Amino acid sequence: LLRLTLFSTPLLDEVLSGFLSIGLPLANKQLGLDYTQVGLLFGSGALAALLLDPFINLLSDRSAKRYWILGGLVLLGAAFALTASTHNFVLLLCAFALIYVATTAAVGLAEAVLIDQNPPESARTMTRWTIMASIGDLLGPILVSLILIQTAGWSKLCWIACIASFVMACILGVQRFPQPVQNDAGEEDTP
């Protein structure tokens, strides 16, 4: 069940990132953003990820990745809640930065746990990971269209993303992650 749940994280990631990019015209309309501000939103997220991702990856190798993944999902949900509830551009910039960084912690480290569980099968694991992400890419626009049929707006999309992130955190939170294993060099390898 843990592997199945971890394999669903790229699907969730692609659907939620689709909410941001496909729902962007709604944000322009509801929040009155211009193209420069939209570029700054995505640029701030990419810059935050560029600066913080290496530290997250290094620190997660020193302890159990479980807490990093769960923390990333909770932070992702909180960032989407902030995105849904604010009309302040500076807070929106912070929310986008948190979304990018939280995605690294949640999704990137879920991938690392799957590889760590069975290193000889890493090629097969990555193939499955890519397929799940592709399904998420396909579902994103479909879900946004279905949600918009219900006359929902930008805030509604972000609240749905928030709830989905918290639900995923709850599902993963009750599962047991594998214990750290010792590798041949005697260093601890923690999933």
Side-chain angles (χ1 to χ4, degrees):
L1 184 60
L2 177 66
R3 285 183 67 78
L4 181 62
T5 307
L6 290 173
F7 269 119
S8 66
T9 56
L11 185 137
L12 178 70
D13 172 47
E14 295 302 329
V15 167
L16 297 186
S17 65
F19 280 16
L20 288 179
S21 56
I22 296 166
L24 198 56
L26 296 171
N28 282 354
K29 183 178 175 183
Q30 286 183 348
L31 304 175
L33 302 176
D34 61 23
Y35 287 110
T36 303
Q37 290 173 316
V38 170
L40 286 173
L41 287 176
F42 286 99
S44 72
L47 182 62
L50 178 72
L51 295 174
L52 296 176
D53 287 357
F55 296 108
I56 291 170
N57 291 327
L58 287 171
L59 291 172
S60 69
D61 277 343
R62 300 198 175 278
S63 62
K65 289 180 178 66
R66 175 180 202 242
Y67 302 109
W68 288 93
I69 295 169
L70 293 175
L73 286 168
V74 169
L75 188 62
L76 188 61
F80 272 111
L82 179 61
T83 303
S85 60
T86 189
H87 293 294
N88 182 326
F89 182 70
V90 174
L91 288 177
L92 206 54
L93 276 173
C94 294
F96 267 70
L98 285 175
I99 288 170
Y100 275 69
V101 172
T103 299
T104 295
V107 180
L109 296 178
E111 180 181 10
V113 167
L114 287 169
I115 296 293
D116 288 348
Q117 283 181 339
N118 194 358
E121 292 291 324
S122 61
R124 181 176 285 173
T125 299
M126 289 307 303
T127 301
R128 291 175 181 159
W129 184 270
T130 304
I131 289 170
M132 292 300 284
S134 298
I135 292 170
D137 278 336
L138 178 66
L139 287 177
I142 294 170
L143 289 175
V144 169
S145 298
L146 290 175
I147 292 167
L148 293 180
I149 288 173
Q150 304 298 321
T151 64
W154 171 255
S155 295
K156 183 88 164 205
L157 284 175
C158 292
W159 282 118
I160 291 170
C162 169
I163 292 167
S165 299
F166 286 142
V167 167
M168 178 65 94
C170 291
I171 292 170
L172 273 174
V174 298
Q175 296 184 43
R176 286 183 52 134
F177 276 59
Q179 293 295 319
V181 290
Q182 296 288 334
N183 62 20
D184 293 341
E187 297 176 0
E188 192 174 9
D189 183 25
T190 58

